Amino acid sequence: MKLITPGMKMADVIHGNYLLLPVINRFGIRLGFGEKTVREVCNDHTIDVDFFVAMLNTFSNENYFPAKKIQTFNVLTILQYLQRTHEYYLNTLVPLIEQHLKTLLARSGRRNKSLTDVKKFFLDYKKELVAHFKLEDTVTFPYIEAVYNAYHHRTDKSVRNKLSSYSMKTYQREHTNIDEKLLDLKNILIKYIHGDFDDASCNAIIFELFRLEKDIQDHTRIENNILLPLVTEMEQALKIKMR
Ligand SMILES: [Fe+2]
Ligand SMILES: [Fe+2]
């Protein structure tokens, strides 16, 4: 797929890949672009256009991951994007899958155990997702913000305490792969579903699972390959500064 550039019309970006719509929404941008270019839309929303374009291209091209370029962006911008992505998963994508599951159960044979198993598997997975995002939103990201502020502004005693109670090493060690179970769930449906079931709602669930899986993989890539090395460097600089 052609790389997205700031000079392209926003509407053409969507015509080229409509799956980018939810990614664009994550930046607070909504439909009704008219003839505006990507740069113009970003200016209207005070969004860093280079970061925006880097995220869109990462999402649309499997082989495009400008690690070096993303590292030049502000850590707080990256954090905000990651946080909004968590919100999108929990408030939009997960409820959508749950809705499809409900329809699937309502439209299929009542006593089809393979379907209740799918629902149970998904609800267990949802719990895992919620816990993963909660940990990042309440522990990891606030820690990163504190490190960022200390690095760019001033260091005080509270930073010293924070640095000794948590670190990016801990994050690295504990950061789990949350996309693995999605492959299992897709396979339960694709390979093993049987009995009386509604095809359309089953397909709808599979489509959304593929979408969620891909989105989460991109998300995790940004956390592991961008955020982690960037903040580790800041931690090291701070430790030297505070010696
Ligand atoms: Fe995350
Ligand atoms: Fe994560």
Side-chain angles (χ1 to χ4, degrees):
M1 192 179 287
K2 222 172 83 185
L3 274 189
I4 296 159
T5 58
M8 276 171 85
K9 286 209 173 143
M10 196 68 167
D12 291 339
V13 171
I14 305 305
H15 282 298
N17 182 6
Y18 62 89
L19 292 173
L20 287 173
L21 273 174
V23 184
I24 289 170
N25 288 157
R26 234 167 266 173
F27 284 87
I29 298 173
R30 304 180 66 213
L31 292 170
F33 312 122
E35 301 301 321
K36 283 186 179 168
T37 63
V38 171
R39 181 178 282 111
E40 283 165 341
V41 173
C42 282
N43 285 347
D44 287 350
H45 290 80
T46 42
I47 293 163
D48 179 343
V49 68
D50 292 327
F51 180 70
F52 181 75
V53 165
M55 289 301 108
L56 259 48
N57 281 322
T58 298
F59 192 89
S60 354
N61 301 284
E62 203 88 327
N63 301 319
Y64 180 88
F65 190 63
K68 279 246 156 65
K69 191 166 174 56
I70 302 178
Q71 272 166 11
T72 63
F73 299 122
N74 187 304
V75 166
L76 299 183
T77 308
I78 302 173
L79 273 193
Q80 193 192 38
Y81 174 78
L82 294 171
Q83 254 158 353
R84 286 208 176 153
T85 312
H86 290 170
E87 282 167 24
Y88 169 71
Y89 297 147
L90 295 183
N91 301 336
T92 306
L93 216 37
V94 167
L96 184 64
I97 296 171
E98 284 179 314
Q99 195 56 46
H100 287 316
L101 273 168
K102 220 170 141 188
T103 315
L104 174 67
L105 286 167
R107 288 189 188 163
S108 310
R110 276 210 179 161
R111 261 168 280 158
N112 190 340
K113 189 175 175 303
S114 68
L115 298 185
T116 37
D117 286 349
V118 168
K119 192 178 171 192
K120 192 185 170 312
F121 193 102
F122 184 73
L123 291 180
D124 285 344
Y125 176 66
K126 182 185 167 185
K127 271 188 208 150
E128 214 178 278
L129 275 189
V130 170
H132 185 110
F133 300 148
K134 194 175 170 202
L135 184 72
E136 288 179 341
D137 287 337
T138 59
V139 179
T140 318
F141 293 175
Y143 167 81
I144 291 174
E145 250 175 77
V147 170
Y148 174 89
N149 286 331
Y151 181 84
H152 285 283
H153 308 297
R154 62 192 172 88
T155 47
D156 55 30
K157 223 175 148 203
S158 72
V159 174
R160 202 181 288 265
N161 292 340
K162 279 199 177 102
L163 274 175
S164 59
S165 63
Y166 190 76
S167 75
M168 291 319 274
K169 264 212 179 89
T170 316
Y171 180 58
Q172 189 173 26
R173 204 173 46 235
E174 294 171 355
H175 197 211
T176 51
N177 260 342
I178 37 172
D179 63 291
E180 277 169 1
K181 280 209 174 121
L182 283 172
L183 180 64
D184 297 336
L185 185 54
K186 284 192 304 183
N187 270 332
I188 294 175
L189 287 162
I190 297 168
K191 292 186 179 172
Y192 304 113
I193 198 158
H194 55 269
D196 177 10
F197 63 86
D198 177 56
D199 297 302
S201 34
C202 232
N203 293 350
I205 295 170
I206 295 172
F207 291 162
E208 296 311 332
L209 291 177
F210 270 102
R211 218 152 66 78
L212 179 62
E213 185 185 38
K214 196 212 165 294
D215 207 307
I216 285 185
Q217 283 167 350
D218 279 342
H219 179 89
T220 309
R221 215 148 46 126
I222 294 170
E223 288 176 340
N224 288 341
N225 302 349
I226 305 290
L227 203 61
L228 194 80
L230 262 181
V231 183
T232 305
E233 245 176 63
M234 284 183 186
E235 276 175 338
Q236 276 155 3
L238 275 178
K239 273 180 193 150
I240 295 169
K241 199 168 146 189
M242 291 190 308
R243 241 182 228 161

